[in-house]
Amino acid sequence: MGSLDGRVAFITGVARGQGRSHAVRLAAEGADIIGVDICADIPSNNYPLATRAELDETISLVQDRGRRMIGSIADVRDFATVRATLDAGVAEFGRLDIVCANAGIAPLSLEQVPIETELAQWTDVIGVNLSGTFHTVRAAIPHLVAGGRGGSIILTSSTAGLVGMGGLDGGGLGYAASKHAIVGIMRCLANNLAAQSIRVNTVHPTAVNTMMAVNPQMMEWAANNPDGGPHLMNPMPVSLLEPRDISDAVAFLASDAAKYITGVTLPVDAGFCNKL
Ligand SMILES: NC(=O)c1ccc[n+]([C@@H]2O[C@H](COP(=O)([O-])OP(=O)(O)OC[C@H]3O[C@@H](n4cnc5c(N)ncnc54)[C@H](O)[C@@H]3O)[C@@H](O)[C@H]2O)c1
């Protein structure tokens, strides 16, 4: 008997990293999963995104927990595809209860790059992290409302969505701007959906052991950027959280144990945002 028996969750960026971990964790609690991932690279981003093979691996990990998963390729920047994919999943599984808007990128410029590159990084990070989050919730809310059973929307922000950390370049500033803006979406939705018992919260991870944080460019940036050193210095004695540490918070927010928690910015940050 799990805390999410019979429920259905929609997760973006599900092929690897935190998205995969959320899928496996929610499935272990009894949820079926509808998941999407781009499974392709974005040229302005400095590290590879997930692959179809990784998406297939997530599907089999969910199935190993005895749950069903529909995993599809979709770019969260493309609203029509996100909506069509989710609609098809809900038609198959019959309901929607939980939404994890998790897909994200963090493009960086380590040195001076042509302004065209920087502008492309800004456009892409806002497109994926911010517009992608809007597209995800916009596609999901009609299903949650129609279900009449309430629901839980969990938006993945970052410590960079709570404090001023992002450097000077378009990619870093776009990341910080997008993660702060996700809090604005959360607060408006929490107010507007409370009457339907649909809860909306953000999670704010510190650095997590995934490709986004552990790739050569990000490691170099963290070592050299004035913002970057402290980025990996949490007050608690841990430099990188594991994806499952974020999944624990997501599973809690998704569950009835959090049934009156909405409108909350929840740091999962080993004390990072509270430090002096
Ligand atoms: N890793 C960290 O240190 C860290 C810290 C704070 C917040 N976050 C946030 O956590 C979330 C998950 O990131 P992660 O750490 O698992 O990194 P990750 O790079 O391993 O996973 C991101 C996933 O999103 C997918 N994705 C990227 N663009 C997409 C698009 N346009 N459409 C659909 N899918 C897309 C990728 O293919 C990948 O599977 C992101 O929103 C990220 O900003 C990460």
Side-chain angles (χ1 to χ4, degrees), residues 117-190:
T117 304
E118 208 177 315
L119 292 173
Q121 291 182 330
W122 167 272
T123 300
D124 289 337
V125 74
I126 293 291
V128 175
N129 296 11
L130 181 53
S131 301
T133 296
F134 169 64
H135 294 158
T136 302
V137 296
R138 181 63 187 81
I141 288 167
H143 293 294
L144 295 173
V145 170
R149 291 176 289 263
S152 177
I153 299 175
I154 300 143
L155 310 180
T156 299
S157 177
S158 167
T159 50
L162 292 175
V163 296
M165 181 179 64
L168 283 173
D169 64 282
L173 284 174
Y175 188 84
S178 67
K179 294 301 187 180
H180 275 77
I182 285 170
V183 174
I185 293 177
M186 178 275 286
R187 290 192 168 127
C188 292
L189 292 181

Side-chain angles (χ1 to χ4, degrees), residues 16 18 37-38 50 74-76 102 157 175 179 205 207-208 210 212:
R16 73 175 187 204
Q18 294 177 58
D37 202 290
I38 189 171
D75 183 337
V76 293
N102 163 82
S157 177
Y175 188 84
K179 294 301 187 180
V208 184
T210 67
M212 179 181 285

Side-chain angles (χ1 to χ4, degrees), residues 40 45-46 50 52 55 59 77 114 121 129 131 146 161 164 221 257 262 276:
N45 202 46
N46 324 72
R52 176 77 224 193
L55 178 59
I59 293 170
R77 293 173 295 180
Q121 291 182 330
N129 296 11
S131 301
W221 181 84
T262 193
L276 295 174

Side-chain angles (χ1 to χ4, degrees), residues 1-273:
M1 169 103 176
S3 65
L4 302 174
D5 279 341
R7 304 208 188 158
V8 176
F10 178 45
I11 303 174
T12 66
V14 78
R16 73 175 187 204
Q18 294 177 58
R20 171 188 285 176
S21 175
H22 299 345
V24 172
R25 178 62 197 275
L26 298 185
E29 294 292 345
D32 290 324
I33 309 295
I34 303 164
V36 297
D37 202 290
I38 189 171
C39 297
D41 291 341
I42 294 177
S44 73
N45 202 46
N46 324 72
Y47 57 89
L49 298 178
T51 63
R52 176 77 224 193
E54 288 174 305
L55 178 59
D56 290 339
E57 173 71 11
T58 299
I59 293 170
S60 80
L61 288 168
V62 166
Q63 290 170 342
D64 289 347
R65 269 83 187 161
R67 303 314 311 175
R68 297 173 293 175
M69 175 165 173
I70 300 171
S72 310
I73 294 178
D75 183 337
V76 293
R77 293 173 295 180
D78 173 2
F79 175 68
T81 305
V82 170
R83 181 164 64 177
T85 305
L86 180 58
D87 288 354
V90 174
E92 176 75 18
F93 289 161
R95 60 188 286 166
L96 182 67
D97 305 278
I98 299 156
V99 178
C100 298
N102 163 82
I105 59 171
L108 282 177
S109 299
L110 286 182
E111 48 209 40
Q112 200 73 29
V113 293
I115 185 63
E116 292 76 17
T117 304
E118 208 177 315
L119 292 173
Q121 291 182 330
W122 167 272
T123 300
D124 289 337
V125 74
I126 293 291
V128 175
N129 296 11
L130 181 53
S131 301
T133 296
F134 169 64
H135 294 158
T136 302
V137 296
R138 181 63 187 81
I141 288 167
H143 293 294
L144 295 173
V145 170
R149 291 176 289 263
S152 177
I153 299 175
I154 300 143
L155 310 180
T156 299
S157 177
S158 167
T159 50
L162 292 175
V163 296
M165 181 179 64
L168 283 173
D169 64 282
L173 284 174
Y175 188 84
S178 67
K179 294 301 187 180
H180 275 77
I182 285 170
V183 174
I185 293 177
M186 178 275 286
R187 290 192 168 127
C188 292
L189 292 181
N191 284 337
N192 282 286
L193 295 170
Q196 283 100 345
S197 296
I198 297 167
R199 302 177 292 102
V200 192
N201 297 288
T202 46
V203 291
H204 300 261
T206 189
V208 184
N209 186 14
T210 67
M211 178 67 90
M212 179 181 285
V214 186
N215 66 70
Q217 264 102 344
M218 184 63 88
M219 301 300 273
E220 193 180 331
W221 181 84
N224 297 328
N225 193 290
D227 276 350
H231 181 60
L232 295 180
M233 283 169 52
N234 302 310
M236 292 179 73
V238 58
S239 57
L240 284 171
L241 304 194
E242 292 300 325
R244 64 176 171 274
D245 298 322
I246 318 307
S247 301
D248 285 341
V250 166
F252 166 69
L253 289 171
S255 77
D256 291 344
K259 63 179 176 293
Y260 295 123
I261 297 177
T262 193
V264 162
T265 53
L266 179 62
V268 187
D269 71 346
F272 182 88
C273 289

